[in-house]
Amino acid sequence: MQLEQMYQEIILDHYRTPHGSGLREPFDAESFQINPTCGDEITLRVRLDAGTVADVSYETLGCSISQASASVLTDLVVGRSVEDSLRILAAFQEMAQGRGQVTPDEDVLGDGVAFAGVAKYPARVKCALLGWMAFKDAVVRTERSEGGASSETADPKEATA
Amino acid sequence: MQLEQMYQEIILDHYRTPHGSGLREPFDAESFQINPTCGDEITLRVRLDAGTVADVSYETLGCSISQASASVLTDLVVGRSVEDSLRILAAFQEMAQGRGQVTPDEDVLGDGVAFAGVAKYPARVKCALLGWMAFKDAVVRTERSEGGASSETADPKEATA
Amino acid sequence: MTLDVAKLRGDFPILARTVRGGRPLVYLDSGATSQRPRQVLDAERSFLEQHNAAVHRGAHQLAEEATDAYESARARIAAFVGADPGEVVFTKNATEGINLVAYAMGNAAGFPGAERFEIGPGDEIVVTGLEHHANLVPWQELCRRTGATLRWYGVTDEGRVNLGSLELTPNTKILAVSHQSNVLGTILPVAELTRRAHEVGALVLLDACQSVPHMPVNLGSLGVDFAVFSGHKMLGPSGVGVLYGRAELLAAMPPFLTGGSMIEMVRMEGSTYAPPPQRFEAGVPMTSQAVGLAAAVDYLGHIGMDVVAAHERELTALAIDGLSAVPGVRIVGPTDLVDRGGAVSFVVDGVHAHDVGQVLDDRGVAIRVGHHCAWPLHRRFGVAATVRASFHVYNTPDEVTALVEGVQAAREFFGV
Amino acid sequence: MTLDVAKLRGDFPILARTVRGGRPLVYLDSGATSQRPRQVLDAERSFLEQHNAAVHRGAHQLAEEATDAYESARARIAAFVGADPGEVVFTKNATEGINLVAYAMGNAAGFPGAERFEIGPGDEIVVTGLEHHANLVPWQELCRRTGATLRWYGVTDEGRVNLGSLELTPNTKILAVSHQSNVLGTILPVAELTRRAHEVGALVLLDACQSVPHMPVNLGSLGVDFAVFSGHKMLGPSGVGVLYGRAELLAAMPPFLTGGSMIEMVRMEGSTYAPPPQRFEAGVPMTSQAVGLAAAVDYLGHIGMDVVAAHERELTALAIDGLSAVPGVRIVGPTDLVDRGGAVSFVVDGVHAHDVGQVLDDRGVAIRVGHHCAWPLHRRFGVAATVRASFHVYNTPDEVTALVEGVQAAREFFGV
Ligand SMILES: Cc1ncc(COP(=O)(O)O)c(C=O)c1O
Ligand SMILES: Cc1ncc(COP(=O)(O)O)c(C=O)c1O
């Protein structure tokens, strides 16, 4: 069985007891993302506070990988500066899209390193990234609203990036 | 050389000295036909007289096969009843589309039997038939005008039948 | 004829391979695409090594041979579905075939003799709630472009078309329906639907993607006006599909793709078009693929489509029985075999379809997860994704057992 | 690198065959379709025997492998023409690619962000008088549907585009031109035409069917907005072609064919679409054909396109010289080698093209006769049909000699 490579205990734990799940108020921006292949969905909210990610809350309809990934995301970015959180996101994305060739840095990615196994299954990479893309989109939206624009519905075209 | 199978002396003779060529008045119907693959053209006129093909006149822009075929057509149908001429046409068409499997009847087809060799070259069958299709179309048109309709421009859709 | 599946599997090189570290491949994804027997691969290759040339365009021997091979392919494929050769248009896939009809209707305004294809505000296009996106989105787009209205038959809880959910009207221009659902396996009541459509003067387009590969289909006697299917789902090549259209309709229908080989006369100022099927085959066609598809219908015809259907029926019964016996498994679609073909889709309580699929894949069992390009149907059943097993003539009862065991294993792995 | 043509011919099984009672095949019809080397046939076959599955749709190992093969093909083909993978859309042939752009423009009205593609009365589409029907008829039809006006650059007596014959205007929405004429061999001044088009804000579509297979082409640095070419003309499979579009344009362009795999979200009430290139690839694609085409560009890349071009240049020079020396032969198109590729079309005084072709065919020499899908161009030169010889990397000087001798024989046979 190679299954355990993908479904590491850490992932299954996050899947069974997701951290930070549920939609909370207040929030600065919300993003809705969808995986067009399987119909999986996430709605994710971000609240910033003086350049820091103060809260991430979300509701998912999806597989174990996408749920666990959202949970790990919450752990990794809440309390960090926006800048840091985007750096973590970049590292996570690099690993997830790295086809198993990228050795993840546990200092940066924490429990996220457990997703290294997923990177070997290209069809599941989108699952692992769904929440992260929602987070990225929501952060961009907070910036836009700061710049005066109102928070709109997500452009789901970016969901599959 | 298998060339002589296709270009029998009879064909080359008709090609060099076509019978009945040129457009003449009076006529009952005219048909314009075109071969969409090579752009070859024929304009052919028919004059009937009491159920008999009184004259066939034509102008062609085309290869030796299509020119010789129009010439042979003239010899075969002028002076025949319309019914006979259509029977000859059917026999010619059967031979031409017969892939060399149909033995032509010289009593019916006269010089037309020389086109049996063409039947082995599917790409040239349309050349051999171009004039005949124009004749068929023109005869149909004379019937239409008898029925009261005016002689219109040919529907070239039937040219490639 | 009894089917010697073990022997027949020898014709399919890919079935001998292993996956995921040495596990034998159990390929249960033929509803997405089927595998090709050696006979199909060889036919295409020998065409390319001996006769390849541009068809309908050359006067040399190769061009003659290539044209003959292409037209002979058309004739054999036509005979396979009870059509005349002139009623068979080669497309790249079934999707193009449906788009062809939709765009041709959009092009009908002002095309001489094409009045019956014209469509505009007040007109209706009717589909069903179980269509593949290929038989839904082109009609949505045609409506958007022309102002026509899209309506649809609903789907019952057991996965049948709800014939009472809609009345066709004299405004209905075309009814576009699946012959067999690619998700539920349901076979639709085509005769009744066609009767209704013709009664109000509407055309009928049949999406035969999941029927022609799996059962005997005679399009002529079904009486539909158009039908589409894809080569790759019936042991044939990818890159080739068929649009069937009744001769009289094709003759009146405006072209869709335009360019070389479909013209009658071209001037800078305007062009006229060849008779069908050429009118609908612009450009150099998928020649070797048509040859391959003809080899596929020869192969299927040699087995007998009734034999294929009976074999798949047996596998479907086994799958339904086996899966139903697993706690927490819910089959989406009919659980009896009445008017039902061999796609079996299901959900497993507490385990997402993707996760079930992963466990199966790990065991060498290739199935499909997701909405299978029938997203509205999945919404209708309140699920985002299902697991789908689908069969072809090369599948075995043991492979169905491997599927059922894999689903059990998935439940165990995720502790439900 | 010098080209060992004799050795290379060994890669092409069909070149070893004989025609018309034992004569060696002299294949001079590559402008219509080229032949495939073993490497291309093998690539496709091994894909089908090992990795075949529906791409972008499955979660099992075969589906992963098939998707990888398909996307790797896209990347290699993109690199071959100086494009990014996301700028390469697979179509069934070049004809579909041109139709895709024409229909997408027709679909732009009301599609958010697609304003620059909208077209209607008062707008102009510009082509040239030497286009293949594939790059003429779709624009005629677009004009018919939208009320836009088609205009065209004239052609000079020596077969060049007459740049003084037309001024583009701010109403010009798109300029669609050949890179190289499939009849005359003329290479068009793409840089100058593109400059003019962009100056007035028009898009440029390049029909690269006859350039990409025969010379180094970098679409990125040419600066055109769209380009099309076909696999079958470049040693690759039939049934696959490429539409290149600048990333920013594809991202804004409405879809053409709709159905599975090109969607983002589908509801019965309406759908949204995926980003490019998927947005333009509806349905199960020509997977193995894309893999075959990638093998073809690998093969050509290994030889080097500059070597291919130099070789064809040599053959073209020989053909022009040899044919010019035959009394009564008139070459239609440039008779020097400046901005000229290797299609050589000609007429023989007193012998119709079909008859010349027949004599050549009888001697094993396969060329094409007719208007070569460029009927208006033939009218421009006052001829109904020409004889066309066209070359690829596998042709030899001896084959050119066979052509010239065959033309002489035709004159003798018909006594002119
Ligand atoms: C210049 C040119 N454009 C377009 C085409 C059309 O290509 P295809 O028939 O492969 O779509 C051809 C070849 O037939 C061509 O030579
Ligand atoms: C019912 C049905 N319709 C249409 C299609 C589309 O076929 P293709 O993708 O080959 O065009 C499919 C398969 O994907 C199908 O199952």
Side-chain angles (χ1 to χ4, degrees), chain C residues 106-125:
Chain C
N107 289 346
F111 191 85
E115 295 75 19
R116 73 178 297 180
F117 298 103
E118 281 181 35
I119 187 151
D123 290 330
E124 293 171 358
I125 295 169

Side-chain angles (χ1 to χ4, degrees), chain C residues 57 282-285, chain D residues 31-32 92-96 98 132 134-135 178 180-182 207 209-210 228-233 368 373 388:
Chain C
R57 292 195 179 183
V284 170
Chain D
K92 69 174 176 179
N93 54 22
T95 302
E96 185 195 339
I98 297 170
H132 188 281
N135 199 28
S178 287
Q180 175 173 323
S181 162
N182 68 317
D207 175 352
C209 279
Q210 296 290 347
V228 298
F229 53 94
S230 274
H232 67 90
K233 292 191 201 278
R368 185 160 166 200
C373 301
R388 180 186 74 182

Side-chain angles (χ1 to χ4, degrees), chain B residues 1-20:
Chain B
M1 285 266 262
Q2 309 176 314
L3 264 191
E4 282 78 9
Q5 273 191 28
M6 173 182 288
Y7 295 110
Q8 300 191 18
E9 266 315 311
I10 301 179
I11 293 184
L12 292 175
D13 286 349
H14 276 277
Y15 164 55
R16 288 186 192 117
T17 6
H19 305 178

Side-chain angles (χ1 to χ4, degrees), chain A residues 36-37, chain C residues 130-137 182-183 233 368-378 388, chain D residues 56-57 259-263 266 283-284:
Chain A
T37 343
Chain C
L130 57 68
E131 298 307 315
H132 188 281
H133 296 164
N135 199 28
L136 170 61
V137 187
N182 69 316
V183 177
K233 293 191 200 279
R368 186 159 165 201
V369 300
H371 51 61
H372 321 308
C373 301
W375 206 334
L377 177 65
H378 278 72
R388 179 185 75 182
Chain D
H56 289 304
R57 292 193 179 184
S261 299
M262 55 72 70
I263 58 94
V266 178
V284 169

Side-chain angles (χ1 to χ4, degrees), chain B residues 38-146:
Chain B
C38 61
D40 285 357
E41 300 175 353
I42 191 165
T43 305
L44 183 144
R45 293 175 176 177
V46 169
R47 183 162 64 83
L48 302 185
D49 186 4
T52 298
V53 180
D55 191 27
V56 170
S57 68
Y58 61 90
E59 215 168 71
T60 63
L61 179 69
C63 64
S64 59
I65 301 295
S66 67
Q67 294 194 42
S69 172
S71 170
V72 167
L73 160 78
T74 312
D75 286 358
L76 286 172
V77 302
V78 172
R80 299 294 186 110
S81 72
V82 169
E83 230 188 336
D84 275 1
S85 75
L86 293 179
R87 236 192 315 270
I88 296 168
L89 181 151
F92 189 88
Q93 189 167 357
E94 193 198 352
M95 172 192 69
Q97 293 174 339
R99 300 244 148 178
Q101 304 305 307
V102 176
T103 317
D105 182 347
E106 192 159 359
D107 289 348
V108 177
L109 288 179
D111 279 4
V113 298
F115 290 84
V118 177
K120 292 188 193 135
Y121 295 84
R124 303 304 296 276
V125 171
K126 278 186 192 170
C127 312
L129 286 176
L130 194 65
W132 294 85
M133 291 302 111
F135 175 70
K136 189 178 185 176
D137 182 50
V139 168
V140 170
R141 276 162 204 281
T142 60
E143 283 161 9
R144 267 194 228 147
S145 14
E146 273 165 27

Side-chain angles (χ1 to χ4, degrees), chain C residues 30-33 91-99 130-135 177-183 207-211 228-233 238-241 368 372-373 388, chain D residues 54 57 258-261 282-285:
Chain C
S30 295
T33 203
T91 59
K92 69 175 175 178
N93 53 21
T95 302
E96 184 196 338
I98 298 170
N99 278 272
L130 57 68
E131 298 307 315
H132 188 281
H133 296 164
N135 199 28
V177 296
S178 288
H179 198 175
Q180 175 173 323
S181 161
N182 69 316
V183 177
D207 175 352
C209 280
Q210 297 290 346
S211 57
V228 298
F229 52 95
S230 273
H232 68 89
K233 293 191 200 279
S238 60
V240 62
R368 186 159 165 201
H372 321 308
C373 301
R388 179 185 75 182
Chain D
R57 292 193 179 184
T258 57
S261 299
V284 169

Side-chain angles (χ1 to χ4, degrees), chain A residues 1-4 6-7 12 15-16 34-41 61-65 120-121 123-124 127, chain C residues 20-21 23 350-352 354-359 361-363 368-372 375 379 384-385 413-415:
Chain A
M1 285 266 262
Q2 309 174 315
L3 267 189
E4 282 79 8
M6 173 182 288
Y7 296 110
L12 292 175
Y15 165 55
R16 288 185 192 118
I34 197 149
N35 181 340
T37 343
C38 61
D40 284 357
E41 300 176 353
L61 178 69
C63 65
S64 59
I65 300 296
K120 293 189 192 132
Y121 295 84
R124 304 304 297 275
C127 311
Chain C
R20 299 293 180 220
R23 289 164 195 280
V351 191
H352 187 278
H354 252 174
D355 293 319
V356 177
Q358 199 73 47
V359 174
D361 174 48
D362 193 58
R363 302 164 69 94
R368 186 159 165 201
V369 300
H371 51 61
H372 321 308
W375 206 334
R379 281 213 195 80
F413 186 83
F414 287 98

